[in-house]
Amino acid sequence: MAKDKNDRTYPGWMHRLGMARTHRPQIGGIQPREMLRVWAVAVYGLLIVAIVAVFVPSIRNPIVCQTQWWCRHGLTEVSVAGRTEYVGVSGVYPFRPDFRHAMDVLERENAYATKDGPGTYVTVALAGPLSGDEPRMLHRIEGAIAGQHDANHSGLAGNLPRIRLVLANMDSGEGHWKLVADRLVEMVHSDDRLVAVAGMGLSQAETVNAMNEVRALHVATVGDIITADTINHQTYPPFSRVGPDTGQQLDVLGQHLGPRLAGHKAMLVVFSKRTDMYTSALNADFQQYLGGPWQAGGKVIAPFGGNPGNEFPQIVRILCGTRGIDTVYYAGRAADLPLFLTNLDNRPGCAPGAITVVSTSDTTRMLVPTAANRRAWQALRNNERPIDLIYTPLADPMFLAGRAESRQPMAALRGLFDNLGFARADLDTGWAIMGHDAVLTIAQATRTASGNAGNIPPPQSVADQLSLMSTSTTATLGASGPIRLDRATGDRHDLRIPVLRFVPGGRPQVLDVYTPKHP
């Protein structure tokens, strides 16, 4: 009978394995020599796997990481909206090309802070969306470095522990907040000795998610540019804020504009993304503090979101088609404000007359001379269709330079910017001032928590000290003046906030100054 070629006893099969057809004993139907070959192949395969597992990482680092800063410094390469970004925590990596000089300054300052080794310094992280196209992010970083320098060289509440500053980038949209938050948590118990986070990001859901991760270890967050009044010490402890929140800003705008807008009608232009806590807070606060003209205008709300280029012309048509409206409450991000203003400048069918646009601190982005902003400046210069842009800042350097309690520290910060090679114009948006004051506040809380011996305090002790900065004797003297924090909310109190008129290409005009009536 012919043998099936799939039969293992077929001579051709044995010859291909180099085996002669003999009557050797079999084990489980397999010849011993065949079994040896099977085992040899299996062992060889396992050996290859082991070699790859052991040696590939050690090969990857020299080949890739020698040429890639992001790899050498523990960062992760990610894709955000089709753009490559690098996320993680670093004290030297420039997440954007315009950060390079600031990173050189930071590297030198960190070398000074850590020169005596572990036990003599703590780490503070400046966290947020560091790799996007937000022009004020450089200002914020420069201000934080200046605050670190102030803390390490001015004898602020002593000299130890010194402050090491790192940047924690969650990507331009903060989508990788979990990766960064996990790294910050690891740094609490390592030689880094992380004690607090400055900033954490913008007023949005991702920022709050990251805050929740680190506050589980009692790590305090001191907001520099977080303004939504729904984020405070009561909702997300331990949290403090060195600038005015949205409620305080709208309170002040209500005091100034309320009497002037009597008999006028307003519409509310709202960014519709609910996870943006800044614009959601503005929506509520405009209705609370400037609700009269909005109700008189018929409670018109015009939302925009995914495609403002198509939505803004429609919103302008709504404005022009609603009789008597001459005021717009802009509850959106300033990234979209220039486009809105250029659309508002082209308002066919509208009755002649001036339009007043009211907004808050994010408006300072309009001060940066970008192409989009320059087009908006032209719209604001159009005397045939006048547009008045009224807003409140986080901190305005010219206003602060004229006040007795902030004149000297503001002048000192200007001088420090000169010494560090930072542009004075970067102070104009207020983000540098807030970055400086947030880091300085953390540094003072750390030093007072450490005691006379300069020991490393746990994060909880630093958070406790922040809660005690509620009086003039325990306040931090920031560039924006004395920083007194409300014990219940963590918000800054006893603020004096200017109301500004935007001047295209020039310094804003101070219209008046107010103290918020609500804490």
Side-chain angles (χ1 to χ4, degrees):
M1 180 182 293
K3 290 190 177 288
D4 186 347
K5 290 188 178 183
N6 291 323
D7 192 333
R8 289 177 184 255
T9 63
Y10 186 67
W13 183 86
M14 291 189 292
H15 284 301
R16 283 196 297 272
L17 290 178
M19 297 169 63
R21 184 172 61 178
T22 59
H23 296 285
R24 294 189 179 96
Q26 296 183 353
I27 301 175
I30 302 176
Q31 296 285 353
R33 183 175 294 182
E34 180 186 349
M35 176 167 280
L36 286 175
R37 285 181 178 275
V38 172
W39 278 105
V41 169
V43 171
Y44 181 74
L46 290 173
L47 182 61
I48 292 295
V49 171
I51 290 172
V52 169
V54 171
F55 287 104
V56 165
S58 63
I59 291 172
R60 179 180 179 274
N61 285 333
I63 291 178
V64 178
C65 293
Q66 286 297 325
T67 58
Q68 301 293 341
W69 278 25
W70 58 268
C71 182
R72 295 208 312 271
H73 294 288
L75 303 179
T76 301
E77 184 181 77
V78 300
S79 178
V80 181
R83 179 175 59 186
T84 297
E85 299 183 19
Y86 301 98
V87 298
V89 181
S90 174
V92 294
Y93 184 74
F95 292 101
R96 292 187 340 202
D98 58 335
F99 292 177
R100 291 191 184 280
H101 173 67
M103 292 304 95
D104 290 342
V105 177
L106 178 58
E107 189 171 11
R108 291 196 299 270
E109 188 58 42
N110 279 344
Y112 171 79
T114 61
K115 65 186 178 69
D116 294 324
T120 62
Y121 68 89
V122 296
T123 298
V124 174
L126 179 70
L130 305 183
S131 51
D133 57 3
E134 167 56 69
R136 295 169 294 180
M137 200 58 70
L138 172 63
H139 310 168
R140 181 182 180 229
I141 289 170
E142 290 173 337
I145 295 169
Q148 175 198 21
H149 187 280
D150 260 358
N152 286 338
H153 298 278
S154 66
L156 175 74
N159 296 304
L160 290 175
R162 287 187 286 270
I163 305 299
R164 170 180 175 253
L165 180 67
V166 295
L167 304 184
N169 181 32
M170 297 188 278
D171 82 41
S172 55
E174 299 188 37
H176 290 82
W177 62 267
K178 184 69 166 61
L179 183 153
V180 170
D182 287 346
R183 175 68 186 115
L184 294 175
V185 167
E186 292 172 2
M187 294 171 67
V188 172
H189 298 301
S190 71
D191 284 345
D192 297 298
R193 290 290 184 258
L194 181 80
V195 293
V197 178
M200 190 57 87
L202 305 177
S203 299
Q204 60 190 55
E206 292 83 357
T207 296
V208 168
N209 291 338
M211 287 170 55
N212 283 333
E213 291 279 321
V214 301
R215 71 190 183 101
L217 293 183
H218 310 289
V219 175
T221 304
V222 177
D224 54 349
I225 57 174
I226 296 176
T227 54
D229 56 6
T230 51
I231 303 173
N232 59 30
H233 184 79
Q234 292 171 322
T235 52
Y236 302 102
F239 173 82
S240 303
R241 186 186 347 251
V242 297
D245 66 24
T246 54
Q248 291 170 322
Q249 293 181 57
L250 263 300
D251 182 329
V252 161
L253 286 166
Q255 291 182 54
H256 178 76
L257 292 172
R260 291 165 176 78
L261 291 180
H264 291 252
K265 296 180 180 180
M267 70 180 292
L268 182 56
V269 176
V270 180
F271 184 58
S272 58
K273 187 177 180 181
R274 293 186 177 182
T275 55
D276 191 323
M277 301 176 75
Y278 170 72
T279 57
S280 296
L282 286 182
N283 186 1
D285 291 334
F286 266 119
Q287 295 182 43
Q288 178 177 351
Y289 294 102
L290 281 166
W294 176 68
Q295 292 173 2
K299 297 184 179 180
V300 176
I301 295 181
F304 72 95
N307 194 346
N310 289 337
E311 294 162 336
F312 284 155
Q314 295 296 97
I315 290 174
V316 171
R317 289 188 181 96
I318 293 172
L319 185 152
C320 295
T322 308
R323 186 174 179 178
I325 289 182
D326 59 4
T327 304
V328 175
Y329 299 158
Y330 182 78
R333 290 279 178 184
D336 297 312
L337 182 56
L339 182 59
F340 177 73
L341 293 172
T342 53
N343 276 272
L344 192 58
D345 182 44
N346 181 26
R347 48 185 193 273
C350 264
I355 298 288
T356 299
V357 178
V358 184
S359 197
T360 51
S361 56
D362 203 34
T363 305
T364 60
R365 182 181 171 124
M366 286 276 296
L367 294 168
V368 183
T370 64
N373 284 348
R374 286 192 175 97
R375 288 192 291 271
W377 295 354
Q378 288 300 112
L380 293 171
R381 293 189 182 109
N382 186 352
N383 293 325
E384 293 182 3
R385 294 183 180 278
I387 303 173
D388 221 11
L389 179 57
I390 308 297
Y391 69 102
T392 44
L394 287 175
D396 181 74
M398 292 298 292
F399 167 71
L400 294 172
R403 298 195 66 217
E405 61 181 3
S406 55
R407 183 181 300 118
Q408 184 175 346
M410 191 65 238
L413 181 56
R414 280 199 173 109
L416 183 54
F417 259 52
D418 292 342
N419 293 337
L420 297 178
F422 300 153
R424 279 197 181 192
D426 291 351
L427 293 165
D428 291 346
T429 64
W431 278 33
I433 298 170
M434 293 292 93
H436 171 276
D437 286 2
V439 171
L440 200 69
T441 299
I442 291 171
Q444 179 166 315
T446 301
R447 296 264 175 84
T448 52
S450 68
N452 294 332
N455 297 322
I456 304 299
Q460 178 69 68
S461 295
V462 176
D464 291 343
Q465 287 294 329
L466 289 168
S467 297
L468 296 174
M469 291 183 175
S470 56
T471 68
S472 58
T473 56
T474 58
T476 300
L477 183 57
S480 59
I483 299 170
R484 294 180 282 269
L485 303 175
D486 185 90
R487 290 182 180 179
T489 65
D491 288 336
R492 189 167 173 179
H493 61 85
D494 295 336
L495 276 167
R496 296 283 286 169
I497 303 175
V499 175
L500 305 179
R501 171 181 285 119
F502 188 87
V503 177
R507 290 294 314 154
Q509 176 189 358
V510 177
L511 300 178
D512 214 331
V513 184
Y514 301 87
T515 297
K517 293 179 180 178
H518 93 288

